[in-house]
Amino acid sequence: MGPMSHILPPGLLGLAGQVTGVGTRLRSSGTLGIGNDKGKGLGAAVREVGLISSFYPPTSAPEHFRDGGKDSEEHRNRADGKLKPSSPANLVPAEQLLMDPDSLHLGSENLRGWLVRLLSTNQEWLRAKVKFFLPDVDLASSSEALDPEQRVILQLGELYTQGMATWQSFIHCMCMELEVPLDLEVPLLSTWGQDDELPRLLETGEKNQPGSQLHHGLKRPYQSCESSPHWKHSRKQRLELAESYLQLLRTSALKHYGDGLPGSGKIYVPPVLQWSRATVPLHAPKGAIMGDPKTEDGSDVSIQDLFNFKTPKSSRVTVLLGKAGMGKTTLARQLCHKWADGHLDHFRALFLFEFRQLNLIPHFLTLPQLLFDLYVRPESGPDAVFHFLEENASQVLLIFDGLDEALQPCSSQETVEPNGSGPAFTLFSSLCRGTLLPGCWVMATSRPGKLPACLPTEAAMVHMWGFDLLRVKQYMNHYFSDQPSQEVALTELLANGRLRSMCMVPALCQVACLCLHHLHSTSLRGQSVAFAPTVTQLYVQMLLTLSPLPAVSLVGLGKVALSGLETGKVIFYDRDIPPPMMVFGATHSLLTSFSIHTSPGHQETGYAFAHLSLQEFFAALYLMTSPTVDKGTLARHVVLNSRWVLRTKVRLGLAEYLSTFLAGLASHTCRPFLSQVAQQDETWVGTRQAAVVQLLRKFAIRKLTGPKVVELCHCVAETQEPELASLTAQSLPYQLLFHNFPLTYTDLAALVSVLEHRATPIHLEFEGCPLEPHSPEALAGCGQVETLSFKSRKCRDTFAEALSRSLPTMGNLKKLGLAGSKITARGISHLVQAVPLCPQLEQISLQDNQLKDQEVLSIVELLPSLPQLQKLDLSHSNFSMSTLFCLVKVAVTCPTVRTLRVTETDLVFFLSRSTETAADRQRLQRCQLRVHHVEVLVGLLQEGPWLEEVDLSGNQLEDEGCRLMVEAASHLHITGKLDLSDNELSVDGVSYVLRAVSTCRSLVGLHISLLQKTVVLTFAQEAEEQEGTQESFSGNALREEGAVLLAQLLPGLGPLQSLNLSENGVPLDTVFHLTQCLSTLQWVCHLEVSFESQHILLRGDKRGSLKKCQLGPPSLTLLFTALEEWQGPLGVELSCKALSDQSLETLLHCLPRLPQLRLLQLSQTGLSLKSPFLLANVVSQCPRVRKVDLRSLHDATLHFRSSEEQEGVCCGFTGCSLSQEHVEPLCRALSKCDDLRQLDLTDNQLGDDGLRCLLGHLSQMPISELLDLSHNSISQEGVLHLLGTLPSCLRAQEASVNLGSTQIFWVRFSKQEAEMTLRLSECSFRPEHISRLASSLSQALQLTELTLTRCCLDLEQLTILLSLLRRPSGFLGLRVEEPWVGGAGVPALLEVCAQASGSVTVISISETQQQLCVQLRFPRQEENPEAVALRSAHCDLVTHHSLLVRQLMETCAQLQQLSLSQVNLCDASDATSLLLQSLLLSLCELKTFRSQGSETQDSGFTCCPFIPTRLTSSCVSTQGLTHLASGLGHCHHLEELDFSNNQFGEQAAEVLMGALKGKCRLKTLRLSHLPLGGSTPAMLTRGLSHMSLLQHLCLSHIQIGDAGAQHLAAILPGLPRLRKIDLSANGISLAGGLQLAESLTLCGDLEEIRLGCNALGDPTTLTLAQGLPQHLRVLHLQSSRLGPEGALSLGRALDGCPHMEDISLAENKLANGVPRFCKGLPLLRRLDLGSCEIDNQTAKELAASFMLCPALEEILLSWNLLGDEAAAELAQVLPRMGRLRRVDLEKNRITAAGAWLLAKGLAQGSGVHVIRLWNNLVPPAMAQHLQSQEPRLDFTFFDNRTQAT
C-alpha cells in the first residue's frame, strides 16, 4: 500500500445488478428471522403507507400445518388443487357452523380462537363486509340476543356457506385491511390463497370500469411501477426478501470496507469523542451517554455510546464535528464494518453516503432510488424490501459523510413527501425532519462551521478531537510490531514536541509513523534521524521516499489539485487528469479510484486525492514551483480564514490549509526540495518564499480576530522563521481573546510556538470555545502567559486534569480562571495538587462550577500555600451552613484574607500579600443565618485580630439576633461598619439596639429605618478618633412631639456629625422651631427639609434646604431671620410649587442680610416672566453675587463670592420665553453690572429682531467672555447683521453660528482687541447674499479665519466670493466644507484658488472630508519679471494645465503650505501629479510638505510666515510619487514634511525616503501609519541623524520594534532642538523601551512624549521617571503594561511639574497605584485614567489630587471599578473646580444613589458641561429621570455633547 492508503473513499455503491425476475419463489422451509412478531398486518401497512409490495403467488403451507391429520390432508389437497372448495359437497349449513365451529376448517382451536377474537374487536368492519358480500341476507334479528363472539361465528358461517370464492375474497380483504397477526395471516392465506377469483374480479373491474366505480369495500391492489400486477406476497415471503437484502448489505459492506481500517496495518484506535450539546433524557447505564440527566456538555463518549436506542424518534440525528484529518470518514466506515460484523446488532440495515459524490447526481431522486440505485440493489422485490425498511425504520441507520461539502438548494429547509423526489440534500433534510422513513437514525459528519437549518434543534452534536497522548502511544504500539521499533518511535515521540503535536491529528499520525518507519529502516543502527518538524515537511519527507523524485508528475498533480480547489472539485474524471499523472498518482496511492453511479445503468470511474489535505498540499506545491504563477496569484492564495466567517457560510470552502502549506513551503528547509521540483535554482525559489513570508509579515502587524490569530500562528510555525515569529508575538495584544470557535491541541501548540518568541506577558481568554479535552497540555512550559481564563461548559474533569499537568510549568502565570465548567470532585482533586506548585498565582476563579462542600474546603485549604494570592472566586457553589462557618474561620484566622464575601450566589475571598497587613471584611449577605447561628458566628469572629466591616444584611436574625450582634460588637474589634439591614427588625427591636448602642464608645454612626429595613452601625478605629456620631432616625414616627423633645435633648447627645429626622411627620412650624434651636449647636451647619418626601436632615456641611413647602413672604422672612443666627458659610435650597413675584422680591431683599450665604437654590419652583428682570437687578443690589442661573422659569441658582474670589458676574436666562420686547429692559438691568463676564440667553424667542436689538445694546453692557444666543430662531438675515456689526465689535474673539438642527449661535469676547475666528454652518446662503457677505468680510479687518460649512456655496459662488474679497492688509483664512468639494478634483479646486484677489499662502484640499482651505494675504505682492522667469525655468509648461500653472505662479507666488489629504492622484498619465510637480518646482518659499491622514490635520489657520504643506492618505501611484518627490527636491527651505497614513508599496517608500535627502532644515517630520519595510527603516534613521534642527518627530504605528527603537535611541541625543516625539504603537517592548527611556532623559527640551500602546513595562517607566525633561507638557503612556509600582514612581516624578498639561495612563493595571500628587500640577488640563482597574479605595486620594490641579478641564475615569463612594468624593470637589468641563465615568459601578450625588454636586455651581455615565448600575427609568432633572448627566451611548461641540 502507498503512503496515503489510510483514507480510501469507497464511492457510492450500486454494485448489485438490477434483478428483473420478480416472480422468483422463496423457500418454504426458511425462517422469518423475527420470531413471534406481533407486528402490523400487510393490509394495515397498505392503509398507512399507501402502497404494498408487488404481488407474487404464495408458496405452500407452513411446516406446522403438516401434521398428517385430516385437516392437514385437506389443506394439502386444496393447496395441490385436488379439492375444489366451491363444490356443493363442501358447503356447511350455518346452523351446523354455529354448533360446530370446527367446521370452518381453520386447522386448530387456537387458530379459530384468534380469528374470532380478531373480528370481535372489529365488528363494524365485519358488518360492512357481510353486507357487501351478502346484500340480501338480514342477520340483525337472529343475532341480537347473541354475545359478540357468537355473533361473529354466525356471520362467518353465513360467509362460508356462500361458496369458496366468496370466502376467499373475504379472507383476502381481511388480511389487507385489518392488522392480522403473522401467525394467523400465514395459515389463512396458505389455506385459501390458491384461488384466482379475486384477481380476476379485480382485473375485470379495472378493464370495464373506472377506478372510482370499484365495489365499495374492496380495495384495489397496489401496482408496482417496476412489475406487472400480481397477487401480493405473504408476510413470510416479504421477510425472506428483506433478510436476503440485509445479508447482501452486510456482504457488500465487508467487501468494500474490509475490517473498516485504513491501510495495510489494519490499525484502528478510536478518537476522542465529546458531547457538545445534550438534548433529550436517555436511560443508558453509563453516565457518558448523550442526554443522561447526570451528563453535561463536554462529556467523553465512546463509539458504542453514539446511539441510544431509547431515544424518541424526533431526536435520532447525530452530527460528528471535526476538523480535517480527525478521522470522521474512517469512523463512518468503521461503523459500517462493525455493523456488517454483527456488533451493532440493533441496526438491521446501514447505509453510508458521501456528499462529495451525491453532489454529482444531476437529477431528482426518490428515497428508494437513493437506497437501491445508488447503493446496493435488492436481487428481487425492491418494493417489499423498502416496505420492510419503512416498517423497521427504528432499526435503520443512514450515515452521510461530508455534510460541509454538500451542495444545498436555495432553501435548506425544503422537504419531500413520502413518495416524492428531490435533490440528494433534500432527501437528507427530509430524513432529518422525519418526513421520510420516520424513526430512522441519521448520522452526519462535518467540519466545524454553520450547519444547515434542516437539522433539528434536538440533534446531538459530538466533537471529534482526534488523539490524545495515550491514543498516540497505542497507535504506535500497533503500527510498529517489533519491540525495538516501538521503543525508538516512542522515544522520538516523547522527545519531540512538534511530532507529538502533529500526531494528535489521526491522519498525520499515520503519515508520521510511515516516515518514522522509513527513516529508521534507511538509517544505520545507532544513528539519530532528523524527523520533519512541521506538517508541510512531513508531507515533503513522504514524497522524498520516491526515488528518483518525479518533478514533472508532482507539478502536474499540483495543477490538477489547484484547479479543483478553485472550482470546488474534489472528484475528478479521466478527462480531468492526464494519463501519466493518473498512473503516477495511482501507483503511489496518492489518488484513489471508485465507481460513481449517478443514475441507474450509468456508471463512471471517479478519482480523488487520498485526502483533502493532500490535495491542498499539492496545490501549494504547484503555486510555489510553477513558472506560470505570478506574485499576484500567489498573494491571492495566502489568506487567513476566520472560523467566525465560516459560521455564516452554509458550505465551507475547500482551501482550509492551503495557506498553511504555502507557509510551510516557504521554510528554508524546503528550498532544495522546491528547487528540485521546480527545476530552478534556489535563488528563484527563494524569491517566492520571501514573497510568502512578506505577506505573513503584513498579517502579523494587523489587528486580527481570535480565529485568524490561530491560523496565523499555524502559518508562522510552519515557516520556522524566528524573526517572523518574534514580530507576530510582539504584535499580539496583551489581552488575546478567543470566543466561540473550536480549538484543538494543535491550535494551542501553534500559539505557544509563537508566544515563545514574545518578551512580554500576555493574557489568554477562552470563552465559549469547544476545547479538545487534552489541549491544555500544549500550554506546558509557556512562560509568557500571565492570565489564563477558560469559560466553557464543555471543559470538564479530563480538561482539568490536563490543565493541572501544565500549570506548574507556567512560571509567570498570575491569574487562572476556569469558570462555568461543571468540574466535579475528580477534576478538583487534580487542580488542588497542581495549584500549590504555582506560588506566584494572584487570582483564581472557579466560579459557576457547582462545587460541593468537600471541593470548596479542599480549595480553601490552599490559601496559606499561595503567598501572592489576592482573590479566590468560588461563586455559584453548593455548600452547607457548616461549610460556611468553616469558611468564616479560615477568613478570620488566615492572616492574608482581607475580605470574605458570601451571598446567595457569591463566594469570594479577597486577600493581601503575605507582606501586607489589612483589616478583615466579612460579608455574609442573604445566607439564611438565624438566631441560633449568632453565637457560633460571634465566637468565630472573635478569633480574628480586628475587623473593618461585618455585613450580615439580608438574613433572618430578627430582634434577638440583632441584639446579640450589637452587644457583641464592642468585643469584635470592628473599626468600620456593622450592617444588620433587612433582618426582620421590629419596633421593639429598635429599643434593644439603642440600649446596646449606649455601651459602644467607638460608635460614630447609627442609621435605623424600619421603612427601608436599614440598620447600620459605624465605628471608629480608636475611641480618641471619634469626632461625632451620625444619628439617623428616618422612617419612624416621631412626629411633632418627638421632634421637639429630641431637639431639646440634642445638646446632651454629644458632638454629633448629623441627625436625620426624615419621614417622621414633622410640620413646617416645627421645622422653624428646630432651626432656632439648632442655631446654638456648633456642629449643625446643614438643614435639609422636604415635605413631599418627608425629608429632614441636619449635618455639618453648611447648607439648608426646604423642599415642597408653601413659602409666602412671612415664612421667608421668618426663615431668613432664623438663618441670620447661623455661623459660618451657609447654603440654602428652597422648593415649592410656585413662588410669587412678591415672595421672590422678599427673598432677594433679604440676601444682603446674610453675609455668610454662599448658595441659594430655587429648585422645581414655578416663577413668573418677571423673574428674569428681578434676578438681573439683584446683581447690582447685592455685589457679592457672582452667578445667576435661571432655567425654564423653574430652577434658579444664585452663587455668592467670598472675599478672596475674583470679580465678575455670569448670568443665564435659558428657556425663559424671552422675545424682542424683553431685550431692552433686560439689557438696562444688566448694564448696571460693572463686570459682566457671561450672558446666556439660549432657548428663548429673540429671533432676528431680538438679535438686532441686543447687538445694538452691546456697548452698554460690555461682556468680557461669552454671549450665547443659541436656539433663538435666528435666520440668514440675523447672520448677515452679525457680520455687519463685526467692524464695531473689536473685542469679539470667536463666533460660531449653525442654523441647522443644532441652532448654535454664540460669540466669545476678550477684554482687549483681538483677532477673530468665525464659523458659519448650514446657513443656506443664496446668490444674492454673496456680495453682502464679501462686503462685510472685507470690512471686518480683525477677522482672520472664516469657516463655511454646508452653507450651499457652489463652485461658481466660491469663485465670486474669493474674487470680491478686498482688504488693505492682513491675512484671511477661508475654510469651505461642501459635498461637491469631494468630487471636484484637484485641478478644478486649484483653479478656484487662482482667481483669488489676494496672494494665496495656504492651500489645503481633503476630498474625503469635502474640505477646501485657502489663506489669503492682502494686498497681493507683484513679482518682478526676472523672478517669474527664474521660477518658470524649473517648470514644465508644455502640458494641458500650462495656463493654470501660469495663473497659480502669479497667485501662489508666496504659497507656503500645500495640503492634499485623501485625494486621488492616480488619473490618466499622472496628469495631476505632473501639475503638482510643476507647481512645487515654482514654489521657492515652500516651508512644509505633508502627506498624512485626516485625523492629524490642523483645525485652523495661523498667520505665522511659515505654514506647512500636506498630502494626506491619498491615492498616488509610484510614478506619481516620483513626480512629487522630484518637485520637493527643489524646495530647499522645506521645514515640515508629512507623509502619514499613505499606503505606499516598498518601492514607493524608498522613493519617499529619497526625498528626505538634503532636508537639513526640517523642523517637523511625520511618517505615522506608513508600512515601512525592508531597508526603509535604516534609510530613515540615517536621514534623521542629519536633521539637527528637527523639533517634532512623529513615527507612530510603523512597527519599528525593539531594533528600530534602539537605533532611534542612539541618534536622539544628537537632535538638540527636539520638542515633540510620538512613537506610539510600534511594537516596542522592554528591551527597546529601556534604551529609549535613557535616551529621552538626555533630551532636556522635550515638551511632548507619546509612547502609548507599547509593551514598555514598569522598568521603562522607572528609568523615564528618573530624568523627566523639565519642560514636559504632554506625557502619553496608555496601554504600556504599567503596574502600580511604575505609576507611583511616575506620579512622584510628575508632582509639581510646572508645565504639565496632558497625562494619559489609560489601559494600564494601576489599581491602587494611581499617581498621587502632593504639590499639584498647576497647568494640567487633561488626565486620562480610563480602564485602570481603579476602585473606591483610591477615590478619596484621587479627589484630593484633582483639587491640586486647578486648571483641569477633562477627567477620564471610564471603564474602572468606581462606585457610589467615589461618586460622593467627586461630587464634593466638583463645585470647587472652576475650569472643569467634562468628566467621563462610563462603565463603572455607580448606582442611582451615586448619580444623584453627582447631580447635587453639579447643582452647587459647577461649570462642568457633561458627566458621562453610560453603562453604570442605574436603571433606564431612573437614568431618564435623573437626566431630566440635571441634563448635564449623560447616560446615552454616544457623547452627544462632545459631537455638538
Side-chain angles (χ1 to χ4, degrees), residues 254-439:
L254 287 174
K255 175 182 177 182
H256 288 88
Y257 301 115
D259 55 3
L261 303 179
S264 59
K266 304 302 181 185
I267 307 164
Y268 185 74
V269 176
V272 177
L273 300 176
Q274 188 181 53
W275 292 115
S276 175
R277 182 172 72 228
T279 53
V280 294
L282 306 181
H283 307 283
K286 299 181 180 179
I289 299 182
M290 173 187 63
D292 190 288
K294 297 181 180 180
T295 302
E296 304 289 344
D297 291 352
S299 300
D300 295 340
V301 63
S302 61
I303 292 178
Q304 55 266 34
D305 295 330
L306 285 173
F307 310 102
N308 178 32
F309 304 116
K310 295 185 179 180
T311 304
K313 292 182 180 180
S314 60
S315 59
R316 296 183 173 183
V317 179
T318 302
V319 181
L320 265 66
L321 298 173
K323 299 176 69 174
M326 288 298 175
K328 301 183 295 296
T329 301
T330 303
L331 175 59
R333 296 172 184 175
Q334 179 70 4
L335 289 174
C336 284
H337 164 70
K338 280 183 172 291
W339 171 77
D341 216 19
H343 294 291
L344 298 177
D345 53 357
H346 176 82
F347 295 116
R348 306 197 64 184
L350 187 149
F351 301 87
L352 172 60
F353 300 97
E354 295 184 0
F355 268 114
R356 65 173 182 172
Q357 298 189 36
L358 292 178
N359 292 337
L360 302 177
I361 301 174
H363 55 272
F364 283 9
L365 298 169
T366 63
L367 182 57
Q369 290 174 335
L370 175 68
L371 299 179
F372 301 153
D373 291 348
L374 302 180
Y375 204 74
V376 176
R377 184 173 184 81
E379 295 178 347
S380 61
D383 289 341
V385 172
F386 183 72
H387 184 65
F388 171 82
L389 295 177
E390 287 185 309
E391 286 185 331
N392 299 274
S394 62
Q395 296 176 302
V396 177
L397 171 62
L398 297 100
I399 302 177
F400 292 85
D401 187 29
L403 178 59
D404 51 286
E405 301 177 24
L407 291 176
Q408 302 181 22
C410 297
S411 174
S412 60
Q413 300 188 18
E414 180 183 352
T415 58
V416 297
E417 296 300 324
N419 297 328
S421 62
F425 184 83
T426 304
L427 297 182
F428 168 76
S429 175
S430 302
L431 289 167
C432 291
R433 294 182 174 273
T435 59
L436 284 183
L437 213 58

Side-chain angles (χ1 to χ4, degrees), residues 1 14 35 195 444:
M1 301 294 290
D195 192 84

Side-chain angles (χ1 to χ4, degrees), residues 186 356 472 971 994 1040 1189 1498 1502 1608:
V186 171
R356 65 173 182 172
V472 173
H971 307 293
L994 291 178
E1040 181 178 0
D1189 188 5
D1498 293 344
T1502 175
L1608 276 177

Side-chain angles (χ1 to χ4, degrees), residues 446 466 625 898 929 1200 1569 1600 1626:
S446 175
T625 56
R898 179 163 51 92
L929 293 173
F1200 300 84
H1569 292 275
I1600 62 175
N1626 266 300

Side-chain angles (χ1 to χ4, degrees), residues 1081-1098:
L1081 300 177
Q1082 295 298 321
W1083 60 269
V1084 177
C1085 303
H1086 179 125
L1087 171 64
E1088 184 173 333
V1089 181
S1090 173
F1091 275 81
E1092 184 177 69
S1093 59
Q1094 300 186 20
H1095 182 70
I1096 303 177
L1097 176 65
L1098 295 83

Side-chain angles (χ1 to χ4, degrees), residues 1130-1204:
L1130 175 66
V1132 178
E1133 180 180 357
L1134 305 176
S1135 175
C1136 59
K1137 186 174 182 180
L1139 193 68
S1140 65
D1141 292 340
Q1142 183 180 2
S1143 298
L1144 180 61
E1145 289 180 2
T1146 302
L1147 185 151
L1148 297 177
H1149 181 72
C1150 294
L1151 294 181
R1153 294 158 42 193
L1154 296 174
Q1156 72 274 35
L1157 188 64
R1158 293 293 178 267
L1159 176 69
L1160 173 63
Q1161 282 185 272
L1162 298 175
S1163 59
Q1164 301 180 17
T1165 300
L1167 300 172
S1168 71
L1169 193 57
K1170 185 181 177 182
S1171 59
F1173 311 111
L1174 295 175
L1175 292 172
N1177 283 318
V1178 78
V1179 175
S1180 58
Q1181 296 173 4
C1182 185
R1184 292 192 308 105
V1185 175
R1186 65 179 178 85
K1187 184 175 182 180
V1188 177
D1189 188 5
L1190 176 61
R1191 298 174 182 268
S1192 305
L1193 299 179
H1194 276 83
D1195 294 278
T1197 306
L1198 277 74
H1199 301 266
F1200 300 84
R1201 69 171 57 89
S1202 59
S1203 57
E1204 63 272 9

